[in-house]
Amino acid sequence: MKSTKIPSVIICLMVSLQQSGAEDAQSSSPPTSLPPGHLKPLASEATRLPVSVIQDFPSPYEFFRSYVYPSVPVIIKQGARRSPAFQKWTDKYLKSLPESQQLIRVEMRKVEERQLPRMNMPFAEFLDRYQTTDEYLVARVPDFLKKDVLIPPSLHCTNVTANLLETMLWFSSGGTKSHVHIDYVDIINCLFRGQKDFLLVNYTRYRQQIVFDHPEGFYSSVDVERVDLNKFPGMRNLEFHEAKMQAGDCIYLPFKWIHQVNSFGSNVAVNIWWNHQAYVVPSSESCGMMDPGLSLADVSFPYHDQTNGDIQSDIHPELDFVRDPSATLTIFMDEKETDSLTEGQFLEVMETILPRLDLDDIWTEEASDAAQQIFQILDADGDGKITSRDTDTFPVEINKFDSFSINLGQKMMILGDIIDGQISKQRQEILRKLEKDIPEDGNTLSRDHSSKLRGARDQTSMSKQEL
């Protein structure tokens, strides 16, 4: 057999093509190092710190001093067992009530999706079907059930009960997964049935890092079961606080802490919201002997008959500005009879949107820097003033949250958080001054305190801006 000699030039060409192909294959292959936890459940490879646990509700003074103003979450073991609901609220009992024919709002998917429509149905019908459907209930606690849920002793002060906002009922067969989100209220959640796991993140610590792609609802659309850390890089390298609740436990969720909640087993819980921004300082005048029978039925919840939109605008008025900054700026310029706003004039706009800025010692250097960044976002052409040329470039569809609105929303959240931090420091100082008037057990005695608490349902809530 004759051997065929391949020309050397062809051999060189073949070698070159093989090397080029290998390089292309290597460059197109996925990166060898991905962020820890990428495409895995939320916090699966993150640092998790346990939330502190206490065995009983502390006095109002101790609760606000140690947890509310320092912004510290805490589990109160067996705190929900105080309420008659813990024993009474079986499905059979609830269906036996004549009022169970009242309509309630039902979510249509256990993995939270806020864009999906909700369904109204009789409470009794929900109880018949929730164990076998992908549905769960999130609704205001019906009036006929309020007497079964006691107000936690830590809230037994007239200036706390006067600033309760809403109370919500959560009811499912388990398997619910919430969005990663923020609530602009202080919350006590009490679990009467099932288990809940909370993953918490201190917003103040990570406020420069985390960006919510839905600033209109203060939540992220990140898939909590498969977290894309390339799409949501702000979720990288977070330190989580983890709370595992059992039936009978309550948890305090501080104002504006980021959280995500998973439920397991047949699950019933009640949230109590109160206004963090109101003037609430437990003192001998506002707190007294505990009323052991004080229930949700004995106090007023002013948001109970309002729409969610009204509630959001009341709790955080900056939402309207984020949704349509052009309208707010145009109104202000018309009132001032000017066609432009300097940075100094823009700070006046901020004080109308966030009235708490007008309080003493709130305009810190950090707050001023945050306001300047907001001004720079709105000054689209960078000429040092806001005019109609700038506002004409803002998104027309106010419900379409593009990068402009996301960026503006994040900076407004940061400014609000700076303000709230300063106010909390001031209130902590007031508590320190009052400390000498509080007995060692943190309680004060007042014979008529119970009647004052129950009478708080007829009081008008204090202003959010009052300090």
Side-chain angles (χ1 to χ4, degrees):
M1 179 183 292
K2 290 184 179 180
S3 61
T4 303
K5 187 175 181 180
I6 301 175
S8 60
V9 65
I10 295 178
I11 294 174
C12 291
L13 180 60
M14 291 171 64
V15 171
S16 175
L17 288 172
Q18 289 173 347
Q19 290 176 338
S20 175
E23 290 173 358
D24 289 343
Q26 183 176 3
S27 63
S28 63
S29 62
T32 55
S33 60
L34 293 171
H38 181 61
L39 299 183
K40 295 181 179 180
L42 183 69
S44 59
E45 296 189 23
T47 299
R48 300 193 191 195
L49 303 177
V51 170
S52 298
V53 177
I54 55 179
Q55 298 304 314
D56 199 1
F57 281 106
S59 69
Y61 174 79
E62 182 60 33
F63 179 61
F64 279 79
R65 180 183 68 173
S66 299
Y67 302 105
V68 177
Y69 292 150
S71 191
V72 177
V74 64
I75 293 174
I76 303 94
K77 292 297 294 181
Q78 308 303 317
R81 288 178 177 267
R82 300 176 56 257
S83 292
F86 182 74
Q87 296 289 343
K88 292 174 64 175
W89 281 8
T90 64
D91 290 358
K92 181 178 180 180
Y93 166 77
L94 294 172
K95 281 194 290 185
S96 72
L97 300 174
E99 298 91 343
S100 67
Q101 296 303 317
Q102 293 182 9
L103 294 179
I104 44 87
R105 185 183 70 178
V106 175
E107 304 284 338
M108 301 309 297
R109 187 165 178 257
K110 290 183 181 179
V111 177
E112 185 178 12
E113 178 51 71
R114 299 193 183 187
Q115 309 306 319
L116 290 177
R118 297 174 174 88
M119 179 188 297
N120 288 327
M121 69 176 65
F123 187 29
E125 179 182 344
F126 170 79
L127 293 170
D128 283 333
R129 60 189 281 172
Y130 80 99
Q131 294 283 9
T132 57
T133 62
D134 192 24
E135 300 169 351
Y136 71 102
L137 183 157
V138 182
R140 289 155 179 161
V141 177
D143 288 341
F144 68 91
L145 293 179
K146 286 182 177 179
K147 65 183 183 303
D148 293 335
V149 182
L150 300 182
I151 300 289
S154 299
L155 305 183
H156 284 209
C157 295
T158 54
N159 60 1
V160 178
T161 55
N163 284 287
L164 297 176
L165 296 177
E166 186 57 283
T167 179
M168 301 295 293
L169 173 64
W170 301 76
F171 207 127
S172 77
S173 61
T176 62
K177 296 179 183 293
S178 78
H179 279 307
V180 174
H181 66 285
I182 279 178
D183 290 311
Y184 268 60
V185 289
D186 283 299
I187 298 174
I188 288 180
N189 177 291
C190 289
L191 184 62
F192 299 119
R193 192 193 303 178
Q195 301 175 26
K196 282 188 185 292
D197 286 356
F198 286 78
L199 289 171
L200 312 173
V201 175
N202 186 337
Y203 171 73
T204 298
R205 178 176 175 182
Y206 294 103
R207 65 190 179 201
Q208 299 288 350
Q209 174 179 336
I210 295 179
V211 177
F212 289 93
D213 59 333
H214 284 272
E216 82 284 8
F218 300 104
Y219 73 95
S220 171
S221 64
V222 63
D223 184 346
V224 297
E225 297 176 290
R226 280 174 54 87
V227 178
D228 189 333
L229 291 175
N230 291 327
K231 184 178 179 181
F232 296 93
M235 295 292 175
R236 299 182 186 183
N237 303 316
L238 298 178
E239 183 177 81
F240 288 82
H241 296 251
E242 184 177 39
K244 291 184 174 294
M245 292 178 64
Q246 304 293 324
D249 295 344
C250 296
I251 185 172
Y252 165 62
L253 300 175
F255 174 69
K256 279 204 298 193
W257 268 58
I258 301 166
H259 54 285
Q260 191 273 324
V261 190
N262 301 319
S263 69
F264 306 91
S266 184
N267 219 270
V268 181
V270 167
N271 275 355
I272 298 175
W273 299 352
W274 71 93
N275 186 357
H276 181 87
Q277 298 171 348
Y279 179 69
V280 176
V281 176
S283 66
S284 56
E285 288 75 26
S286 66
C287 306
M289 294 182 65
M290 185 187 77
D291 177 357
L294 189 71
S295 74
L296 300 183
D298 298 315
V299 296
S300 175
F301 293 94
Y303 287 172
H304 203 67
D305 297 319
Q306 294 189 29
T307 66
N308 286 337
D310 291 337
I311 293 173
Q312 285 196 344
S313 295
D314 198 12
I315 296 175
H316 29 78
E318 70 275 14
L319 261 183
D320 289 336
F321 179 68
V322 173
R323 286 172 174 152
D324 192 4
S326 179
T328 303
L329 295 170
T330 300
I331 291 172
F332 188 85
M333 286 191 280
D334 288 345
E335 290 176 350
K336 296 294 183 180
E337 298 182 347
T338 181
D339 58 3
S340 65
L341 292 177
T342 65
E343 187 173 331
Q345 291 171 316
F346 175 68
L347 295 184
E348 295 181 43
V349 178
M350 286 291 93
E351 289 181 353
T352 64
I353 298 169
L354 299 169
R356 291 164 293 149
L357 276 169
D358 201 29
L359 301 172
D360 293 337
D361 301 321
I362 298 300
W363 271 117
T364 62
E365 182 177 350
E366 189 178 19
S368 297
D369 288 344
Q372 183 181 47
Q373 292 175 31
I374 295 170
F375 177 82
Q376 291 169 352
I377 292 172
L378 300 171
D379 179 17
D381 59 13
D383 65 352
K385 56 183 181 289
I386 299 172
T387 67
S388 60
R389 290 193 305 275
D390 299 308
T391 58
D392 287 345
T393 68
F394 298 167
V396 176
E397 298 180 42
I398 62 173
N399 289 320
K400 183 180 179 181
F401 288 92
D402 57 10
S403 58
F404 171 86
S405 296
I406 291 172
N407 195 19
L408 177 62
Q410 182 202 21
K411 299 304 181 185
M412 289 294 292
M413 288 175 69
I414 289 172
L415 178 57
D417 193 55
I418 294 169
I419 297 168
D420 295 323
Q422 286 297 112
I423 292 174
S424 286
K425 289 178 183 177
Q426 293 177 2
R427 291 176 181 170
Q428 284 177 289
E429 181 59 30
I430 293 172
L431 276 183
R432 279 191 286 269
K433 292 178 180 178
L434 289 173
E435 190 166 6
K436 61 180 181 295
D437 299 325
I438 305 294
E440 290 185 3
D441 63 358
N443 289 311
T444 56
L445 300 179
S446 173
R447 289 184 179 179
D448 63 347
H449 182 68
S450 293
S451 60
K452 288 181 179 179
L453 282 171
R454 292 175 182 268
R457 65 178 299 147
D458 300 320
Q459 296 178 2
T460 300
S461 296
M462 299 182 184
S463 167
K464 294 193 294 292
Q465 285 77 46
E466 185 181 355
L467 181 67

